[in-house]
Amino acid sequence: MIVFSFDRDSTVDVNPIDSSQSVVPLDWIQYLAHETDHVVWAHGNQDLKREAVIPGKQELVDAYTERWGSPVAHVNDRRYKHMETQLEVESDNQPPDPDVTTAAAEYLKGGDLHKHQILRLLRSIYPDAEKYVCVDNQYLGYVDGWEYHLPHGFVEEYASLAADVEAADIDMDAVQQSRPSAPTTKRRRSVALLRQLGRYVPQSVKEMVDITPDNRIPIRLRRK
């Protein structure tokens, strides 16, 4: 599995801006997201979420919360809130670095995530991906672990997608209608609360239950 992340403006053909440069066709992104086993995210203008039916900033922060708990609680739990200390979790999943935790918390308070923070968080969410591919008209090649492409460079490197996309003939109306709904805000808050309370529960009890954020009741007994 490859993790792809795309900017929108000056990168995708829905808003090319500079007509002298090749940009990524929207249907290529749609194909990668809905006809392959890869995962595709929007790290720039979030209009791309709707146009390609892919996740973006909000879904990424939701994924953080489901995996590690509330980033706001993590920041509040720091002994010194102005010091970005490493998050300690009882999990095999390595948490993101402190700067990303702070950014996710600020996003939930009405702030924003920078592109490099989104990319770094994606690597934490998908630690076992084959590779990570970022496409943007702004330079992001400094983000560790990512294969960076300018739009025209991606079009050249992945030119074989054109034939695959034409053969696939994706029905985006059907994709939009079948898109699973995200957990409600109330349910996400319940999951975050359960995870926070879980810090004080004996290990023997933790081993008996699973947190299930997509279910109406986000906790269940673990099957043996």
Side-chain angles (χ1 to χ4, degrees):
M1 176 195 74
I2 299 174
V3 178
F4 290 93
S5 190
F6 290 89
D7 183 36
R8 178 183 184 273
D9 301 332
S10 295
T11 298
V12 183
D13 63 4
V14 291
N15 191 18
I17 299 180
D18 184 357
S19 59
S20 66
Q21 293 286 343
S22 298
V23 289
V24 181
L26 177 63
D27 55 7
W28 285 24
I29 300 174
Q30 294 169 336
Y31 171 81
L32 287 170
H34 307 293
E35 294 292 323
T36 74
D37 293 329
H38 308 309
V39 294
V40 183
W41 289 75
H43 67 252
N45 185 332
Q46 296 295 279
D47 285 349
L48 187 60
K49 287 173 51 177
R50 170 182 51 81
E51 294 159 346
V53 192
I54 58 175
K57 296 177 182 179
Q58 181 62 60
E59 291 77 13
L60 188 57
V61 174
D62 291 345
Y64 178 112
T65 302
E66 291 175 9
R67 179 161 298 200
W68 295 293
S70 168
V72 175
H74 294 155
V75 171
N76 290 338
D77 285 348
R78 290 171 177 165
R79 184 174 181 182
Y80 303 104
K81 291 185 175 57
H82 64 285
M83 295 180 64
E84 294 185 327
T85 52
Q86 182 68 44
L87 174 64
E88 295 182 3
V89 296
E90 295 181 2
S91 170
D92 294 333
N93 298 318
Q94 180 64 32
D97 60 65
D99 170 63
V100 172
T101 296
T102 302
E106 290 301 314
Y107 180 84
L108 291 176
K109 296 177 184 178
D112 203 1
L113 288 162
H114 295 296
K115 291 178 178 179
H116 68 89
Q117 293 167 330
I118 293 171
L119 297 181
R120 285 154 56 202
L121 181 48
L122 280 171
R123 282 201 68 197
S124 295
I125 296 295
Y126 300 102
D128 300 321
E130 177 184 343
K131 66 177 177 177
Y132 308 86
V133 178
C134 164
V135 187
D136 201 305
N137 67 304
Q138 297 178 348
Y139 181 69
L140 290 170
Y142 60 88
V143 183
D144 187 47
W146 284 84
E147 176 185 296
Y148 167 73
H149 295 276
L150 287 165
H152 69 272
F154 179 83
V155 170
E156 294 173 2
E157 182 73 19
Y158 290 84
S160 61
L161 282 174
D164 295 334
V165 170
E166 186 175 356
D169 191 23
I170 307 170
D171 184 349
M172 288 306 297
D173 289 335
V175 169
Q176 183 69 57
Q177 293 172 8
S178 63
R179 185 183 188 186
S181 58
T184 63
T185 300
K186 183 176 181 181
R187 196 182 309 162
R188 288 195 296 268
R189 288 174 179 168
S190 297
V191 170
L193 178 60
L194 284 169
R195 291 187 186 278
Q196 190 168 4
L197 292 174
R199 301 177 189 177
Y200 310 103
V201 174
Q203 185 62 33
S204 60
V205 175
K206 292 180 183 179
E207 293 174 353
M208 297 171 59
V209 299
D210 287 315
I211 302 297
T212 55
D214 291 331
N215 293 340
R216 184 176 180 182
I217 301 176
I219 188 170
R220 68 181 180 188
L221 289 175
R222 182 172 296 172
R223 295 179 179 178
K224 294 183 179 181

